[in-house]
Amino acid sequence: MLTPPRTVVRREGGLYALERALQRRGFRHVAGADEAGRGACAGPLVAAAAILPEGRRGEIDGLNDSKLLTPASRERIHDEVVARALAYAVVVIGAEEVDERGLHVSNLAAMRRALASLTTRPDYVLTDGFGVDGLDVPGLAVWKGDRVAACVAAASVLAKVTRDRIMVELDGAFPGYGFAEHKGYITAEHTAALRERGPCREHRFSYVNVATVSGRDGAPPRARRPAMARLDEPMERSCPPGGTVGVALGEQPQPPASVREDVVMEGGVR
């Protein structure tokens, strides 16, 4: 049996080298998937998938890992990805669902749903950091994929911009936490607000810092979200002495489960 020739990815090819190499091997539509909000202790988890066109039309000036871009650059590139992509989709998983299903399961489900929502079927899938099972096409998990593959970088920008916009809206609905500034991640200001006001319904109670200020740090992770009569109001609890960090506890890979509240926020075909 003849061994197929190796696919060579040349470093000088830059952000588009991996996709171009796969396209030369016959995988015409290469989709990238990424997420935003894993490390945040408030707000939704957002996943996105994108397929960029072949050739010059798929090359977007300044495209990079969303974390390395300024907010203005992210907004510009987001709009260019939306305008140029062959297909794209963004899926939002609410904080309550993250608490119920767990961060890892919710993350995989969100990326799986985003990829399944693409109106152009991918021939190959690239994901950032870890693989996504349950796909019916070949794929590859790429370390720091949003800095290596253009389609993953495009997905990271879609996810980040969508999530940032949501957090700005939540800042208006839940003032006093500073969601518009820190986007739900742990900062000194966010920690101080949690200690003073207690968590609101958009916080993730399966994260130790939120569970601690809610007084539910001894409860199992899946049971930490309280059955509050008025979830639109903050919980008035004080934080006991001692430092806390925004980390999900008790996270172990779980069997894939359907995600009830995920919403395809955007999607299109060009």
Side-chain angles (χ1 to χ4, degrees):
M1 178 182 295
L2 294 176
T3 302
R6 274 194 322 169
T7 298
V8 178
V9 180
R10 302 191 181 280
R11 188 180 299 273
E12 60 269 22
L15 194 63
Y16 297 88
L18 182 54
E19 282 168 80
R20 299 294 183 258
L22 288 167
Q23 288 163 352
R24 288 196 298 271
R25 292 296 302 273
F27 300 105
R28 183 180 178 187
H29 297 139
V30 181
D34 200 5
E35 51 71 33
R38 274 181 64 93
C41 70
L45 178 71
V46 179
I51 300 176
L52 297 175
E54 298 177 75
R56 295 290 295 275
R57 178 168 172 75
E59 297 180 6
I60 297 172
D61 183 43
L63 180 61
N64 205 336
D65 172 9
S66 63
K67 296 183 290 296
L68 302 179
L69 299 171
T70 65
S73 294
R74 282 197 296 267
E75 289 284 347
R76 175 185 62 80
I77 291 171
H78 171 278
D79 292 346
E80 286 203 45
V81 171
V82 168
R84 297 192 191 195
L86 290 177
Y88 67 92
V90 181
V91 168
V92 177
I93 306 292
E96 183 175 358
E97 192 75 13
V98 172
D99 282 342
E100 180 180 344
R101 300 295 186 187
L103 178 65
H104 184 67
V105 170
S106 297
N107 193 37
L108 290 178
M111 288 204 287
R112 194 180 297 116
R113 175 70 180 270
L115 288 162
S117 299
L118 292 170
T119 52
T120 297
R121 184 179 185 275
D123 301 312
Y124 201 97
V125 169
L126 299 174
T127 54
D128 183 30
F130 52 87
V132 178
D133 58 4
L135 305 178
D136 60 354
V137 295
L140 177 68
V142 183
W143 176 247
K144 293 190 180 298
D146 44 10
R147 304 184 189 186
V148 174
C151 58
V152 180
S156 79
V157 171
L158 291 175
K160 172 67 173 169
V161 170
T162 300
R163 188 177 187 280
D164 283 357
R165 291 174 178 176
I166 291 172
M167 295 309 296
V168 170
E169 292 180 2
L170 290 179
D171 186 65
F174 301 95
Y177 293 101
F179 289 154
E181 287 73 38
H182 54 64
K183 307 302 190 291
Y185 290 89
I186 286 298
T187 64
E189 293 75 16
H190 192 184
T191 298
L194 272 171
R195 287 175 173 170
E196 178 184 353
R197 302 172 61 83
C200 71
R201 70 179 183 191
E202 292 299 333
H203 281 95
R204 301 177 187 173
F205 287 78
S206 55
Y207 281 52
V208 64
N209 61 320
V210 179
T212 298
V213 297
S214 71
R216 301 178 64 82
D217 52 313
R222 299 297 183 272
R224 284 193 179 131
R225 178 168 286 269
M228 297 163 58
R230 293 291 305 279
L231 278 174
D232 57 330
E233 296 180 351
M235 293 182 64
E236 298 298 335
R237 295 294 183 96
S238 61
C239 180
T244 59
V245 291
V247 181
L249 292 184
E251 288 300 329
Q252 297 294 332
Q254 302 291 325
S258 60
V259 179
R260 295 195 313 272
E261 297 178 5
D262 50 354
V263 180
V264 178
M265 299 291 291
E266 302 181 61
V269 59
R270 296 289 183 269

